[in-house]
Amino acid sequence: MTCTLLTGGFGYIGSHTAAILAENNQKFVIVDNFTNCKKDVVNRLEKITKQKVNFFEVDVRDTEALVKIIKENKVTSVIHFAALKSVSDSIMRPLEYYEVNVKGTISLLKAMSYSGLKKFLFSSTAAVYGEPDSCPIDEKHKLNPLNPYAQTKIIIEKILQDISKADNEWSIAILRYFNPIGAHQSGLIGDDPLLKENSNLMPEIIKVVNGSINYLNVFGNDYETSDGTGVRDYIHIMDLSEAHVTALEYVNKNTGLNFFNIGTGKGVSVLELIKTFEKVSGFRIPIKISNRRKGDCAVCFADPKKANDILDWKSNHDLYQMCESAWKFVIKNRI
Ligand code: UDP
C-alpha cells in the first residue's frame, strides 16, 4: 500500500488534492503548520472524505519531525505544497520567502534522503516564465522571474534538477500551475487564505460579493488584448488537483525529472472572468479601472500538451463551471 505525504495539505490546492486522493482510495498523511489556512479545513475535509484525516501540525523546516512522520506512516511519495505564495508579499518580505520556501524544501528533501524516499511532486508556478515571449507557453520557454516568489520556485527547481542528476533513482515531477480558481463541488472547501494580502482575482471578486470591499480594482485596460485587460489561463481547482493524482501515478512508475505546465491552454481576460461570474451569480461586480499592477504581464496561457500526452491528463471544466463552483463556495459559507 502506498502512502503519500502532503505538505501544506490543508491549503487551497493541497486540500482539494487530498479530497481526490481519498476518492481514489489512496492513503495520505498531511503535514501543515496552519499559517495560511483555518483549522476548520480539517473538519471539512473529513466531511468530504468521510474518514479521519491523518495529520501533523509540523513546520516543514523541522527535518527531524518529518523523518519520524515518514517512517511511522511508511510514506512512499511526497507532494510538496507547503509554501508562501503571495507575489506582492514576497516583494515586501523576500527573506521570509527564501526561508520558508527554499529552506523548507531543503529540509523536506533531506528528510526524504535520510528515509530513502525518492518520489517527489513539486508545486511550481507559471510565474517562473515572467513576461512570456509568446503564448501558449511550453515548458522549454525561458525562465524570467519578476519577483522573489517566482525566484524561490526557480531555485527549488534547480535544486531538484541537481538531485536528479546526482542520483538517477529519484523520480520528480515539477508542476507549473497557471491560475487555479473555483472550489470543490461540495462547497465545503475553496480558496480561503488566512493571509489577506493575497490579491488574486477570484478572491478579490469574492471580497466584493461579501461586502469587504466596494468595488474590484481592474489593474489596467490598456494592454494589447481583446478588451485591454490582462489575459490568464484560469483552471478549475479540481482539474489542477486531478493532475497531481495522475502525476503521482507517473512518478511511481518512472524515474527522472519532468516539468509539466498545468493549465487549460485557453486565455481569458479579467473582464471576461468578471462577466462570467456575474452571469453565474446574478451579482453585479462594480469595477474601477486602475493603473497596471507592477510585475503583471499582458498575456499568459499554457501549452499543456506535455501533461496531456505524458500524464494522460487534461482539464475538463470550462470557465462557467469554475465560476459556478466559486459561487457555491461563497453561498455555502456566507455568515
Ligand atoms: N487582477 C485585477 N484585479 C485584482 C486582482 C487581479 O485586475 O484585484 C488581474 C491581474 O492584473 C491579472 C489577472 O487579474 O491580469 C490575474 O491576476 P492574479 O493575481 O489572479 O494572478 P497572476 O497575476 O498571478 O496571474
Side-chain angles (χ1 to χ4, degrees):
M1 177 87 181
T2 59
C3 177
T4 306
L5 168 64
L6 310 183
T7 71
F10 291 123
Y12 179 38
I13 304 173
S15 59
H16 289 77
T17 303
I20 300 182
L21 285 172
E23 202 181 299
N24 289 325
N25 296 316
Q26 294 195 33
K27 206 173 151 201
F28 61 88
V29 53
I30 288 178
V31 160
D32 207 303
N33 67 359
F34 294 98
T35 46
N36 198 18
C37 61
K38 297 176 186 146
K39 289 228 159 125
D40 187 38
V41 178
V42 180
N43 304 323
R44 289 165 179 253
L45 196 54
E46 289 185 342
K47 239 188 202 170
I48 292 171
T49 61
K50 299 185 185 70
Q51 64 183 48
K52 267 251 147 307
V53 171
N54 187 14
F55 77 94
F56 297 87
E57 187 168 348
V58 159
D59 191 295
V60 283
R61 286 166 292 178
D62 186 347
T63 315
E64 235 172 81
L66 293 178
V67 170
K68 196 161 173 266
I69 292 165
I70 288 171
K71 195 171 167 202
E72 287 176 356
N73 293 277
K74 296 189 174 64
V75 170
T76 52
S77 56
V78 176
I79 311 183
H80 182 33
F81 299 104
L84 294 176
K85 62 170 185 177
S86 161
V87 167
S88 51
D89 189 35
S90 80
I91 295 167
M92 290 183 299
R93 305 189 302 142
L95 262 186
E96 276 83 351
Y97 276 68
Y98 287 102
E99 167 80 26
V100 173
N101 294 6
V102 180
K103 196 172 168 194
T105 307
I106 292 174
S107 162
L108 172 63
L109 292 167
K110 273 189 184 165
M112 290 178 67
S113 287
Y114 297 152
S115 316
L117 187 54
K118 299 180 180 183
K119 302 209 172 287
F120 192 66
L121 250 64
F122 177 59
S123 294
S124 191
T125 168
V128 298
Y129 300 118
E131 174 85 54
D133 292 336
S134 62
C135 282
I137 306 170
D138 70 18
E139 291 81 356
K140 291 195 192 88
H141 189 285
K142 73 168 193 300
L143 305 182
N144 178 27
L146 299 176
N147 51 66
Y149 165 69
Q151 194 72 265
T152 65
K153 294 290 179 180
I154 291 180
I155 292 170
I156 299 163
E157 290 191 353
K158 302 271 185 229
I159 293 172
L160 293 172
Q161 283 174 290
D162 288 339
I163 289 177
S164 173
K165 269 187 217 150
D167 179 352
N168 61 16
E169 285 179 5
W170 276 78
S171 180
I172 299 170
I174 294 173
L175 307 187
R176 290 178 176 155
Y177 307 147
F178 281 67
N179 293 59
I181 59 170
H184 188 264
Q185 58 273 16
S186 63
L188 286 167
I189 54 172
D191 194 1
D192 195 14
L194 272 186
L195 305 174
K196 293 295 178 197
E197 83 284 334
N198 172 300
S199 64
N200 288 123
L201 182 54
M202 187 57 94
E204 288 297 306
I205 291 177
I206 290 171
K207 278 187 204 165
V208 177
V209 173
N210 285 333
S212 58
I213 54 175
N214 294 331
Y215 57 86
L216 180 86
N217 258 318
V218 172
F219 297 137
N221 66 350
D222 56 352
Y223 286 108
E224 278 184 32
T225 59
S226 59
D227 60 25
T229 65
V231 167
R232 295 290 182 277
D233 187 337
Y234 298 98
I235 174 166
H236 197 300
I237 184 66
M238 295 307 285
D239 285 335
L240 185 99
S241 299
E242 186 71 46
H244 294 77
V245 180
T246 51
L248 197 58
E249 247 173 68
Y250 184 81
V251 296
N252 279 334
K253 287 188 196 140
N254 296 279
T255 54
L257 179 142
N258 268 293
F259 295 94
F260 296 104
N261 282 344
I262 307 299
T264 64
K266 194 172 175 293
V268 170
S269 76
V270 173
L271 294 182
E272 248 181 283
L273 179 61
I274 295 169
K275 265 184 219 139
T276 310
F277 187 87
E278 287 183 331
K279 201 162 157 192
V280 164
S281 64
F283 196 97
R284 202 179 68 80
I285 307 291
I287 63 167
K288 213 176 220 179
I289 305 294
S290 63
N291 291 335
R292 292 180 178 191
R293 187 170 62 177
K294 203 168 158 252
D296 266 356
C297 61
V299 181
C300 175
F301 58 92
D303 175 353
K305 190 172 179 327
K306 190 172 171 198
N308 298 163
D309 293 349
I310 297 182
L311 301 179
D312 194 21
W313 164 89
K314 70 175 181 40
S315 61
N316 285 313
H317 297 84
D318 62 20
L319 190 64
Y320 195 90
Q321 293 168 309
M322 296 179 212
C323 291
E324 228 172 17
S325 68
W327 176 235
K328 185 169 178 187
F329 182 62
V330 172
I331 296 172
K332 260 209 123 145
N333 296 285
R334 251 188 180 160
I335 311 149

